[in-house]
Amino acid sequence: MKKSLVFLLLLAAVFMFSCKRSGSGFQVAIPSPDLTIHIYFALEKGKPFYMVYHKDEIVLDWSPLGYVFAGGDTLSRDLVIAGTESGAHREEWKPVWGQTALCLNEYNEYKIHLREKSGLKRKFSICFRAFNDGFGFRYIFPEQESADSVFITSELTGFNMAGNGTAWWIPGDFDSYEHLFRTTAISEIDSANTPLTLKLAENRYISIHEADLSNYPGMTIKRTGETKFSASLVPWPDGIKVKTEAPFVSPWRTVQIAEKPGDLITSCLILNLNEPNRIEDTSWIKPMKYIGIWWGMHLGIHTWHEGPRHGATTARAKEYIDFAAKHNIGGVLAEGWNTGWDSWFNGDKFDFVTPYPDFNLPEVTRYAQEKGVSLIGHHETGGHVPNYEKHMDSAFALYHSLGIHAVKTGYAGKIRPEGQHHHGQFMVNHYQKVVELAAKNRIMIDAHEPVKPTGLSRTWPNMMTREGVRGMEWNAWSEGNPPEHTTIIPFTRMLGGPVDYTPGIFDILCVRHAGERKKWNEAHLDKTRVHSTLANQLALYVVLYSPLQMAADLPGNYKDHPAFAFIEEAPVNWDVTQVLDAEIGDYITIVRKSGNNWYIGSVTDENERTMEVPMDFLSPGIDYLITLYEDGENTDLETNPADFAIREIRVKKSDTLTIKMTSGGGFAAIARPAQ
Ligand code: NOJ
Ligand code: CA
């Protein structure tokens, strides 16, 4: 097998799409524009397969393609080639916001049209796109001569690894991505959610995910053999995976391929495999930082529901607005402003328009506008989707009428109708409905308990950010997130899109209130704290990208704090992003540029490290003044995590900085041209 592939590889280097027809089969090689990646498609005895090479090594061995429909009828055999189409594409496009001001979308495309030889004689196509940084393929179903409704019970797409390696993964949970990452051999994965990131060899990292997830369930990956995997789609309550009708297209199955882990982060592949922006006037879409009546509830100091410790009062909202206005923070979130929280997890008491009596919504909005701050609305649904869908129109209309341009949504609870999952087709369609209704009302969305991002923010740039991660809140009421957590997120969850991790806790050891929290997790009550140093918290503003980025702590903990200057200045939209140095699960150093300034963020796991940071990303011929926020001499994760030091240094492109990070530590810096 391998010999014939090497032959094909050589052929592919000479011809763009080399294909071969033999008695029993058909093979084609689809090279990336730079010829480093080759996808091979083969139809062998009527069955479709694909295989992928990076340089001269196999990344994916022959893997199956196709579907099983309700009734056990398989669309993966007895196929013949009905035609092929090929093309090349190169375009640069500008995201409305993001980690980079410009994306290059360059690929070779090959479509294989297939038809069943007998029986129903169904037709479908598989479209491959080979990029320099990975590839994608999708199934395309045209209208059929037989019945048009399609019930899929299994997608047969395989991901057969040629060998073992290291995997960073969370389980293939159908309802939540809020898990700690496991680092194991590839052969020890049981089932995983995507992005699933693997190290196959030194200089070969891949991440399996999907793009343009629309009207289709989310894909998890399950292990079917030693290092063989198969798509496993999130089901409807009756076990069917996809309920649709022809014509339709599947999401893209994507595999990013990189020699350095950092190149996974700077790749535009997922966005490139989504449709261009559909919102004409984007003037109201504005990335911003925000604070919120939020952490107090997670600590148990405040409550979402009304009562003596109610968080969202008019007075507190105004206090937060004053703080935001003074400190270059664009938005203020108020959770628990509306009635229905007394039966939160039931979800059916929320109408999303009635404020609690101590929260004067029009007055708070007016005050925010007067101060140049945006109020961020909140819709917690408790997972009760029918209730939310009943009230959604009036809920968004209310915010629209008040000139509110951002809403955080939440689905903390079991999805209703009963048996639906957060990541199934029903919910994928619901989340999309919300984004489109929000767009009509000129409202940006920050979705919590969402389905994972798959690049749809290119098409709907009001879909700003989402949770879909075990975020900061877990530090308030569980054993928390270990320091390595934020050294893995950039290479896994964040490859799909922005992450509302809610960084910036300065009171690292947290005020430990009993109260409400006791009910949530008694076992961890005395362990709740943030598992990092303060400098690490600052670094997250560069390391973790979100166009709506929270300063999550209580404003009182930021007041007069010298390190808050970094959060005040941190941009939420970038022209350039570079990963200077990283080992997944150990450390990461990212630099990002906005205007003329560069921002550096670096975090380490539980190990202390001394980093040599070359300044060669800076422009030549200019001196820069760097303000560096780092772990201090006495900073200690266990005993003194909020300690930090500030240094001012003059540097130029040829310099290298030496910076020490303590266990759970990090550093953050701003470099400004000195002239
Ligand atoms: C879970 C969300 O992640 C959190 O941010 C929010 O405060 C609660 N649900 C309540 O909506
Ligand atoms: Ca959550």
Side-chain angles (χ1 to χ4, degrees):
M1 178 74 86
K2 188 161 177 187
K3 225 174 169 184
S4 73
L5 276 159
V6 172
F7 169 64
L8 266 175
L9 183 71
L10 287 172
L11 250 170
V14 181
F15 303 107
M16 170 95 135
F17 303 103
S18 54
C19 60
K20 192 175 95 179
R21 266 171 214 272
S22 65
S24 70
F26 166 95
Q27 285 194 341
V28 63
I30 306 143
S32 62
D34 67 358
L35 305 179
T36 55
I37 294 170
H38 287 83
I39 308 166
Y40 296 92
F41 171 84
L43 192 68
E44 254 333 290
K45 298 202 176 92
K47 292 184 172 180
F49 297 91
Y50 76 105
M51 177 190 207
V52 180
Y53 265 77
H54 177 233
K55 300 209 164 151
D56 54 355
E57 293 291 329
I58 301 177
V59 170
L60 286 162
D61 211 335
W62 288 113
S63 304
L65 296 159
Y67 281 108
V68 181
F69 296 114
D73 170 19
T74 303
L75 184 64
S76 176
R77 60 184 175 210
D78 193 29
L79 297 169
V80 291
I81 304 285
T84 62
E85 283 172 66
S86 62
H89 180 92
R90 189 191 151 92
E91 144 225 23
E92 284 183 328
W93 61 277
K94 288 186 179 158
V96 175
W97 46 260
Q99 305 191 76
T100 171
L102 201 63
C103 285
L104 171 65
N105 186 11
E106 186 184 17
Y107 58 83
N108 290 328
E109 180 176 276
Y110 199 88
K111 267 188 205 159
I112 300 122
H113 305 300
L114 297 160
R115 185 173 52 76
E116 285 175 310
K117 214 161 46 184
S118 52
L120 291 170
K121 297 202 171 157
R122 285 168 298 204
K123 303 171 284 188
F124 73 108
S125 310
I126 304 173
C127 177
F128 288 94
R129 286 187 185 169
F131 298 80
N132 294 339
D133 52 359
F135 67 93
F137 61 90
R138 80 180 340 169
Y139 300 94
I140 302 172
F141 279 74
E143 269 175 49
Q144 307 287 327
E145 272 150 39
S146 49
D148 281 338
S149 65
V150 177
F151 278 32
I152 295 169
T153 52
S154 181
E155 181 184 315
L156 297 174
T157 306
F159 301 93
N160 291 346
M161 302 301 144
N164 223 328
T166 308
W168 293 270
W169 57 285
I170 52 170
D173 188 333
F174 296 159
D175 283 287
S176 174
Y177 311 106
E178 299 189 25
H179 292 274
L180 293 177
F181 291 91
R182 297 158 198 203
T183 306
T184 70
I186 294 172
S187 58
E188 285 171 66
I189 298 173
D190 153 24
S191 71
N193 258 302
T194 72
L196 165 62
T197 301
L198 311 173
K199 179 179 182 176
L200 302 181
E202 284 314 319
N203 303 329
R204 188 160 292 111
Y205 294 81
I206 71 165
S207 184
I208 303 172
H209 189 42
E210 54 186 318
D212 192 7
L213 170 56
S214 307
N215 192 20
Y216 203 89
M219 173 181 73
T220 69
I221 304 285
K222 74 165 191 284
R223 197 163 62 82
T224 52
E226 178 71 1
T227 57
K228 291 186 173 178
F229 296 87
S230 177
S232 170
L233 306 178
V234 179
W236 286 77
D238 60 5
I240 305 282
K241 308 291 172 39
V242 189
K243 299 185 181 184
T244 187
E245 51 189 46
F248 80 93
V249 294
S250 76
W252 293 93
R253 274 59 192 100
T254 62
V255 179
Q256 289 178 249
I257 304 175
E259 292 190 19
K260 294 196 297 290
D263 294 342
L264 295 172
I265 294 173
T266 48
S267 159
C268 282
L269 186 131
I270 301 294
L271 290 170
N272 282 337
L273 286 170
N274 277 270
E275 298 298 316
N277 176 18
R278 290 205 194 135
I279 301 178
E280 236 169 74
D281 173 12
T282 56
S283 57
W284 50 275
I285 301 178
K286 293 198 181 108
M288 63 180 165
K289 284 169 290 192
Y290 71 100
I291 55 171
I293 301 176
W294 180 78
W295 187 235
M297 275 86 94
H298 288 271
L299 291 177
I301 298 170
H302 301 140
T303 62
W304 281 277
H305 57 79
E306 65 186 330
R309 291 184 292 126
H310 185 213
T313 64
T314 304
R316 184 165 295 108
K318 286 187 172 181
E319 228 177 82
Y320 279 42
I321 289 165
D322 288 340
F323 182 87
K326 206 166 145 198
H327 295 282
N328 190 32
I329 303 285
V332 171
L333 165 74
E335 290 197 4
W337 67 277
N338 58 322
T339 56
W341 284 89
D342 318 79
S343 59
W344 164 3
F345 291 107
N346 213 10
D348 61 349
K349 295 286 180 296
F350 293 118
D351 69 6
F352 311 96
V353 294
T354 312
Y356 279 125
D358 56 353
F359 188 81
N360 185 336
L361 179 63
E363 171 57 14
V364 171
T365 322
R366 186 204 61 75
Y367 190 75
Q369 272 157 4
E370 182 187 306
K371 298 277 172 169
V373 170
S374 309
L375 191 70
I376 299 181
H378 189 231
H379 292 164
E380 172 57 65
T381 67
H384 202 309
V385 172
N387 181 60
Y388 188 36
E389 293 203 344
K390 193 165 89 194
H391 294 288
M392 222 155 71
D393 284 329
S394 50
F396 279 100
L398 170 67
Y399 281 142
H400 179 76
S401 72
L402 292 166
I404 289 173
H405 289 299
V407 171
K408 172 176 169 181
T409 58
Y411 300 83
K414 225 170 24 143
I415 297 297
R416 264 64 49 82
E418 201 71 43
Q420 293 289 2
H421 294 290
H422 282 77
H423 313 153
Q425 185 184 7
F426 171 80
M427 283 306 287
V428 165
N429 290 347
H430 166 76
Y431 293 121
Q432 187 58 27
K433 227 185 273 177
V434 173
V435 171
E436 292 183 30
L437 177 63
K440 251 200 226 157
N441 287 283
R442 296 165 78 87
I443 287 173
M444 301 178 272
I445 292 292
D446 169 3
H448 276 231
E449 296 80 36
V451 67
K452 62 195 168 182
T454 58
L456 281 161
S457 61
R458 178 177 179 194
T459 318
W460 298 97
N462 66 317
M463 180 59 245
M464 306 299 282
T465 189
R466 58 187 99 202
E467 189 189 37
V469 73
R470 186 167 148 131
M472 183 66 76
E473 62 187 26
W474 283 79
N475 289 322
W477 33 257
S478 79
E479 77 284 10
N481 303 335
E484 73 160 16
H485 194 51
T486 50
T487 71
I488 303 178
I489 290 171
F491 303 99
T492 49
R493 160 65 182 78
M494 206 175 82
L495 299 180
V499 54
D500 192 29
Y501 187 76
T502 67
I505 299 300
F506 279 14
D507 183 9
I508 306 279
L509 296 175
C510 304
V511 190
R512 287 175 184 151
H513 267 254
E516 290 291 298
R517 277 189 308 152
K518 208 155 189 164
K519 283 192 242 153
W520 298 3
N521 205 339
E522 204 158 343
H524 299 296
L525 195 58
D526 56 353
K527 294 196 203 96
T528 54
R529 57 159 292 179
V530 175
H531 301 269
S532 89
T533 68
L534 190 139
N536 174 296
Q537 288 293 304
L538 295 181
L540 297 180
Y541 287 84
V542 185
V543 170
L544 301 179
Y545 180 61
S546 183
L548 297 177
Q549 185 70 286
M550 192 175 203
D553 211 338
L554 304 169
N557 291 332
Y558 293 140
K559 203 168 166 287
D560 302 326
H561 198 299
F564 191 64
F566 185 82
I567 299 181
E568 274 187 63
E569 284 191 48
V572 276
N573 193 26
W574 304 99
D575 299 324
V576 180
T577 290
Q578 288 175 23
V579 181
L580 292 192
D581 194 7
E583 282 297 338
I584 307 176
D586 296 339
Y587 65 91
I588 174 169
T589 306
I590 298 200
V591 294
R592 302 192 197 256
K593 192 177 188 209
S594 170
N596 292 324
N597 295 350
W598 285 91
Y599 296 76
I600 316 174
S602 183
V603 294
T604 179
D605 60 2
E606 68 284 2
N607 297 307
E608 55 174 48
R609 295 170 203 279
T610 300
M611 308 296 290
E612 299 291 324
V613 189
M615 295 286 112
D616 56 6
F617 55 88
L618 296 174
S619 300
I622 310 176
D623 276 11
Y624 286 80
L625 287 176
I626 287 199
T627 311
L628 179 65
Y629 300 78
E630 58 191 333
D631 296 323
E633 253 170 54
N634 299 319
T635 309
D636 180 88
L637 179 62
E638 292 311 318
T639 59
N640 197 15
D643 180 58
F644 67 98
I646 300 182
R647 253 200 285 172
E648 302 272 350
I649 328 160
R650 200 176 174 99
V651 294
K652 53 186 176 313
K653 192 177 172 64
S654 56
D655 292 337
T656 293
L657 292 187
T658 303
I659 307 165
K660 214 177 146 222
M661 301 192 274
T662 189
S663 161
F667 61 86
I670 309 174
R672 306 177 184 82
Q675 291 90 341

